[in-house]
Amino acid sequence: MKKYPLLLLIGFLIFSCSTKKEIVYFHDIEELEGYENIMEYEPVIEPNDVLRINVSSINEEVVKPFQPPTQGSQGGGGGGQNMSLTGYLVDPEGKIQFPVLGSVEVAGLKRSEVQQKLQGEIRNFVTDAVVDIRIVNFKVTVLGETGATRVEVSDGRITVPELIAEVGDISYDGRRQNILVIREKDGVKSYGRVDLTDANDVFKNPYYYLKQNDIVYVEPTYRAVKSAGFFTSYQGIISLGTTIISMYLLINSL
């Protein structure tokens, strides 16, 4: 009987520790051998996006009417050195006001589709015009056991693992199996979860590629919540009860 309290304490300590599966990323990666990524991701333009649109030609003079207004002037392109001010704001109706062309609908189109659309219309005036587009305000917010920050994405494409690497990885007290991604489209919020410890779940997950203005939250482990003095589930109550019983039996055995 004297050994019973000791065994309880040892068992409690064992179950309080993290397992390898909870810490190591990409388990069962072998199952992805030869897997082709069918999700060729390209960002889709949405209302309130800010687009930087550059029009070029061998003769730069002929495309000047299609360039945004210069610093200090007013108009669809804004002014100043801040890229968000020299870009084109997509209005709530999904349109931008573009020089010469006027109102152009862009929301719901992929970035390459908008490039082709503008390039086709501009080539009615300048036959060798080339259009390049970037989403200036492509940012992703990350919270929780990675620290809190906003990550700017320059090329319009970032994945969950890339975001985690960008912010310095998840702390020891973060849950790698249940990363929450909150997304909004057309004013409607949705969410998904990504398990970084499961290779199949990560690379085949519809939330693998992040979109502009996504929020990523890494919640704390049960151990971290417990250390803060909170019990948010029956497991916490059971753990507390086990500890009390163990201590009671240990004291009575003395």
Side-chain angles (χ1 to χ4, degrees), residues 175 219-238:
R175 288 192 65 188
E219 64 185 46
T221 60
Y222 167 69
R223 178 186 60 254
V225 173
K226 185 178 63 176
S227 67
F230 297 100
F231 296 94
T232 58
S233 68
Y234 70 91
Q235 294 175 334
I237 298 174
I238 292 174

Side-chain angles (χ1 to χ4, degrees), residues 94-161:
K95 300 177 180 179
I96 59 173
Q97 300 301 318
F98 198 79
V100 181
L101 303 181
S103 181
V104 179
E105 188 167 352
V106 296
L109 299 177
K110 295 180 179 179
R111 185 178 63 186
S112 62
E113 292 173 336
V114 177
Q115 287 182 175
Q116 294 172 4
K117 181 177 183 177
L118 289 177
Q119 190 167 278
E121 295 190 29
I122 295 173
R123 283 188 175 181
N124 291 326
F125 304 91
V126 182
T127 56
D128 67 338
V130 176
V131 176
D132 179 71
I133 297 178
R134 293 289 183 270
I135 302 175
V136 176
N137 64 329
F138 195 126
K139 297 180 177 67
V140 178
T141 301
V142 60
L143 304 166
E145 296 299 322
T146 55
T149 186
R150 297 190 73 188
V151 176
E152 295 186 7
V153 183
S154 59
D155 60 358
R157 175 171 167 157
I158 190 169
T159 65
V160 172

Side-chain angles (χ1 to χ4, degrees), residues 2-207:
K2 291 183 177 180
K3 294 182 180 180
Y4 183 67
L6 181 60
L7 291 174
L8 282 176
L9 287 175
I10 293 174
F12 175 73
L13 291 173
I14 290 174
F15 285 107
S16 297
C17 296
S18 298
T19 65
K20 179 181 178 182
K21 185 171 178 58
E22 293 176 322
I23 300 298
V24 177
Y25 295 153
F26 309 137
H27 285 278
D28 301 321
I29 190 66
E30 298 82 4
E31 297 181 14
L32 291 178
E33 182 70 27
Y35 172 72
E36 294 184 7
N37 186 5
I38 59 175
M39 297 185 298
E40 290 297 333
Y41 179 78
E42 188 177 354
V44 174
I45 308 302
E46 299 177 353
N48 297 319
D49 278 348
V50 179
L51 308 180
R52 184 187 67 196
I53 303 176
N54 182 59
V55 183
S56 59
S57 168
I58 293 178
N59 184 356
E60 290 298 322
E61 288 296 321
V62 298
V63 294
K64 276 189 175 182
F66 301 97
Q67 299 290 2
T70 57
Q71 181 176 356
S73 63
Q74 301 293 325
Q81 296 300 314
N82 189 322
M83 291 307 301
S84 64
L85 297 179
T86 58
Y88 296 88
L89 176 66
V90 182
D91 66 25
E93 296 181 353
K95 300 177 180 179
I96 59 173
Q97 300 301 318
F98 198 79
V100 181
L101 303 181
S103 181
V104 179
E105 188 167 352
V106 296
L109 299 177
K110 295 180 179 179
R111 185 178 63 186
S112 62
E113 292 173 336
V114 177
Q115 287 182 175
Q116 294 172 4
K117 181 177 183 177
L118 289 177
Q119 190 167 278
E121 295 190 29
I122 295 173
R123 283 188 175 181
N124 291 326
F125 304 91
V126 182
T127 56
D128 67 338
V130 176
V131 176
D132 179 71
I133 297 178
R134 293 289 183 270
I135 302 175
V136 176
N137 64 329
F138 195 126
K139 297 180 177 67
V140 178
T141 301
V142 60
L143 304 166
E145 296 299 322
T146 55
T149 186
R150 297 190 73 188
V151 176
E152 295 186 7
V153 183
S154 59
D155 60 358
R157 175 171 167 157
I158 190 169
T159 65
V160 172
E162 289 172 338
L163 175 69
I164 297 302
E166 183 73 24
V167 298
D169 207 356
I170 300 172
S171 73
Y172 179 68
D173 289 326
R175 288 192 65 188
R176 291 151 175 80
Q177 306 92 335
N178 201 37
I179 296 175
L180 175 66
V181 180
I182 302 172
R183 179 168 296 169
E184 182 174 322
K185 182 178 181 181
D186 298 329
V188 179
K189 286 185 171 58
S190 63
Y191 70 91
R193 297 184 184 273
V194 180
D195 182 355
L196 280 179
T197 66
D198 186 337
N200 278 288
D201 184 88
V202 174
F203 296 103
K204 297 180 181 180
N205 196 302
Y207 287 85

